Amino acid sequence: AQSVTQPDIHITVSEGASLELRCNYSYGATPYLFWYVQSPGQGLQLLLKYFSGDTLVQGIKGFEAEFKRSQSSFNLRKPSVHWSDAAEYFCAVGAGYSTLTFGKGTMLLVSP
Amino acid sequence: GAVVSQHPSRVICKSGTSVKIECRSLDFQATTMFWYRQFPKQSLMLMATSNEGSKATYEQGVEKDKFLINHASLTLSTLTVTSAHPEDSSFYICSAPPGGAGDEQFFGPGTRLTVL
């Protein structure tokens, strides 16, 4: 069975500081990996995805993530956080877009 | 990107009543829509796949007689929680893939259901 673990329920980062959100997955084959962001009153928005190829993927809003097969990880990074990045972030794994298993989410708080 | 809306955004109802939640694709047609449930501090769990013109496909453990899904048009799917109970209180989210079931999903903003 596939599963996703986001070990941090919430993280606080100072504005301008770097960010890394952790995601570990369990999947029986080559996974399709996703990061979504959910802001209050908004639907989940796809930040980036990994299907194959280069293990470092670039996404929207300055985010990137690195697929590390040996560690079963797909951590999300951003070099400099903005106050508008405060939201909940979800990692997901699947065989494609439609069969997604989500993690429990990490709430990002940005301090001035 | 494609836009998916949900109505209402939040609803409070008494135990035993039924509640209908609408999911609309605003700028595309969707033959398939997905319904998720999210409990506090939990991940999104797929409840069912809604198929236009045919019966919905429910995930294991989801009661199809309790969570009625109707996908009557290419832009609208409805989820009716029948005889709601407090344990049905949750955040219900729909999504739709513009290009069909295997395409990227676009998510609605969710509906917060509270059953008293």
Side-chain angles (χ1 to χ4, degrees):
Chain A
Q2 58 200 54
S3 65
V4 176
T5 301
Q6 293 181 247
D8 303 305
I9 297 173
H10 52 78
I11 281 181
T12 301
V13 176
S14 298
E15 189 168 16
S18 63
L19 168 71
E20 183 170 30
L21 301 183
R22 295 183 291 165
C23 172
N24 292 97
Y25 67 89
S26 174
Y27 194 75
T30 301
Y32 286 23
L33 293 158
F34 307 81
W35 274 100
Y36 288 87
V37 60
Q38 184 181 39
S39 300
Q42 307 285 322
L44 273 77
Q45 181 183 22
L46 181 65
L47 284 176
L48 48 77
K49 62 185 183 290
Y50 171 79
F51 281 8
S52 64
D54 192 346
T55 56
L56 183 64
V57 293
Q58 303 296 321
I60 62 171
K61 304 184 179 184
F63 286 92
E64 66 177 27
E66 186 170 12
F67 169 55
K68 293 185 177 180
R69 185 187 299 275
S70 62
Q71 298 177 20
S72 297
S73 69
F74 189 57
N75 294 350
L76 181 71
R77 301 194 293 251
K78 186 169 184 178
S80 177
V81 169
H82 188 262
W83 65 265
S84 60
D85 293 324
E88 189 153 24
Y89 292 79
F90 291 90
C91 182
V93 66
Y97 280 118
S98 60
T99 53
L100 300 179
T101 297
F102 288 87
K104 294 184 178 181
T106 297
M107 180 65 72
L108 173 64
L109 306 174
V110 181
S111 61
Chain B
V3 181
V4 176
S5 70
Q6 284 184 241
H7 178 79
S9 58
R10 58 178 64 233
V11 56
I12 300 172
C13 69
K14 293 182 179 179
S15 185
T17 61
S18 294
V19 174
K20 180 184 287 188
I21 302 170
E22 294 184 348
C23 177
R24 292 182 185 272
S25 56
L26 297 185
D27 51 2
F28 64 97
Q29 294 182 329
T31 55
T32 300
M33 291 184 175
F34 300 98
W35 286 97
Y36 295 84
R37 181 167 52 186
Q38 184 184 22
F39 291 109
K41 309 298 183 186
Q42 301 295 316
S43 61
L44 282 76
M45 298 297 294
L46 180 65
M47 298 175 65
T49 302
S50 173
N51 304 298
E52 190 269 335
S54 65
K55 292 182 179 180
T57 305
Y58 291 82
E59 296 300 302
Q60 191 173 7
V62 178
E63 301 174 60
K64 60 182 179 182
D65 295 330
K66 181 169 186 62
F67 298 99
L68 301 179
I69 291 173
N70 183 22
H71 195 149
S73 79
L74 288 171
T75 59
L76 173 64
S77 175
T78 60
L79 169 68
T80 301
V81 183
T82 62
S83 187
H85 288 91
E87 57 266 30
D88 298 322
S89 298
S90 188
F91 195 53
Y92 292 86
I93 300 171
C94 73
S95 72
D103 194 19
E104 178 181 349
Q105 298 181 45
F106 288 84
F107 289 81
T111 297
R112 174 76 60 192
L113 170 63
T114 302
V115 184
L116 302 177

